[in-house]
Amino acid sequence: MTFLITAGPTREAIDPVRYLTNRSSGKMGYAIADVAASKGYRVILISGPIDSGVDVPDGVDYVPVESAGEMYAAVERWIGSADVAIFAAAVADYRPVECMEQKLKKEGEEMDLRLVRNRDILGSARDVFLFNGVLVGFAAETENVLENARGKLLKKGCDMVVANDVSRSDIGFDSDENEVVLVFREGEEIVEKASKKSIARSVVSAAMSLEGEM
Ligand code: CTP
């Protein structure tokens, strides 16, 4: 049994010294990788740059990437070997239209930065990468959590979406705790507030039961 897990933020370069990114700590994805590896499964962990101090779990095949484009290429390369794919990364939706070769010099009081949409990696799993294993996405929402998560599940062909409310300051992002709802094609299950390690156990065991049904 092989798990492919994406984790962390991505960095979208503006010039040689600047980039766009987000507040993802990578903790949730790394906790899932750790749980799956300690159950003896092969784990391919494709991760953006993490500076929250979490270590790469022992025994995983670690594939470090920087940008959404690199993460897309790594997933395309490895997803064929996976039975379960869990997309926990906070992939940047947009990147600068071009990365300047030289450091940008300041000019004037305002500046415009043109962005272009990144490809949806999770959304490519079924149609482009032809992945037919268990597909798990994440949904970070600030409102209408269940409804938005279910929309993502259907649109991206997922078997399960792990939804969390990122408007709450006591969970998510930098926190060591989380509270999520596991949204399935039929029904959902609340996983009460707990450590990310404990949430990761619930995610892995739900993914394993889905695998058993396939
Ligand atoms: N995802 C991805 N590739 C992207 C964007 C997102 O693989 N380019 C994955 C994330 O890893 C996560 C899920 O898709 O599993 C999040 O879905 P998305 O629709 O991108 O969430 P939001 O960015 O919150 O979307 P929206 O702005 O529509 O709410």
Side-chain angles (χ1 to χ4, degrees):
M1 174 78 61
T2 299
F3 279 67
L4 176 143
I5 297 166
T6 71
T10 63
R11 283 182 185 170
E12 310 302 321
I14 298 171
D15 71 13
V17 296
R18 303 182 176 100
Y19 51 78
L20 299 174
T21 191
N22 59 63
R23 290 175 49 198
S24 167
S25 66
K27 286 177 183 167
M28 197 62 243
Y30 277 48
I32 294 170
D34 193 18
V35 167
S38 56
K39 284 186 183 291
Y41 302 125
R42 178 178 179 220
V43 176
I44 302 165
L45 175 61
I46 300 172
S47 173
I50 303 291
D51 35 39
S52 52
V54 255
D55 293 326
V56 176
D58 286 338
V60 310
D61 291 340
Y62 180 58
V63 183
V65 296
E66 289 249 338
S67 63
E70 285 176 24
M71 186 172 278
Y72 184 99
V75 170
E76 186 172 33
R77 163 76 182 81
W78 292 107
I79 198 165
S81 4
D83 304 286
V84 177
I86 302 181
F87 287 74
V91 183
D93 289 324
Y94 294 89
R95 67 181 182 279
V97 168
E98 55 176 342
C99 171
M100 308 309 280
E101 257 175 56
Q102 306 299 333
K103 188 182 160 206
L104 267 174
K105 290 292 186 188
K106 60 182 154 311
E107 275 173 40
E109 290 305 312
E110 290 181 7
M111 76 164 275
D112 294 318
L113 182 63
R114 280 184 63 75
L115 305 177
V116 60
R117 192 70 174 264
N118 280 326
R119 281 184 293 185
D120 187 340
I121 312 171
L122 172 60
S124 304
R126 297 287 191 215
D127 297 347
V128 183
F129 308 146
L130 307 179
F131 177 67
N132 58 16
V134 173
L135 188 62
V136 180
F138 269 69
E141 307 293 347
T142 54
E143 56 181 357
N144 306 327
V145 177
L146 272 185
E147 193 185 321
N148 287 338
R150 190 164 291 288
K152 278 172 197 173
L153 176 128
L154 295 173
K155 191 169 123 213
K156 304 194 186 201
C158 298
D159 300 296
M160 172 169 89
V161 163
V162 182
N164 67 338
D165 183 344
V166 286
S167 66
R168 285 176 54 176
S169 58
D170 58 326
I171 52 172
F173 285 126
D174 283 338
S175 168
D176 289 322
E177 293 193 311
N178 208 348
E179 179 178 308
V180 300
V181 183
L182 304 181
V183 180
F184 301 97
R185 287 179 173 270
E186 279 172 34
E188 57 255 344
E189 185 185 317
I190 296 172
V191 184
E192 300 288 351
K193 185 169 161 183
S195 68
K196 285 190 175 170
K197 190 72 182 278
S198 158
I199 303 277
R201 284 191 206 101
S202 305
V203 171
V204 170
S205 72
M208 293 310 302
S209 346
L210 289 167
E211 220 280 328
E213 285 168 20
M214 288 182 80

